[in-house]
Amino acid sequence: RVAGPGHLLGGTAREPVLARRLVAEGADYLGVGPAYPTRTKTGLPDALGPAGIRAVAEAVDVPVIAIGGVTAARVAELLAAGA
């Protein structure tokens, strides 16, 4: 509402209930993670893994972008999970 039409609004979720709420409130896409352990930030919650990414992706109908610990070798696995 504040940004107006033509802007994308993202949200961050780690579980399906919050993901659905964010989409209902207008999120156009979701960042979900950390997908895997990462050393780029400290104090992050435990990694979700592909199963956690899948749980969120299956709960919403917007793009899900896996974040945290993503490498080229892990992309196929994350795509298969719905990211």
Side-chain angles (χ1 to χ4, degrees):
R1 188 176 78 235
V2 173
H7 288 84
L8 293 176
L9 180 64
T12 303
R14 289 183 45 80
E15 51 90 30
V17 173
L18 177 57
R20 284 190 291 268
R21 189 182 97 216
L22 291 172
V23 171
E25 292 175 357
D28 298 300
Y29 68 93
L30 297 174
V32 181
Y36 300 96
T38 180
R39 293 182 306 220
T40 60
K41 287 186 180 180
T42 59
L44 293 175
D46 291 340
L48 295 171
I53 300 296
R54 174 176 280 109
V56 173
E58 289 178 349
V60 296
D61 60 357
V62 299
V64 166
I65 301 163
I67 57 175
V70 177
T71 64
R74 294 173 169 160
V75 169
E77 182 175 47
L78 292 168
L79 289 173

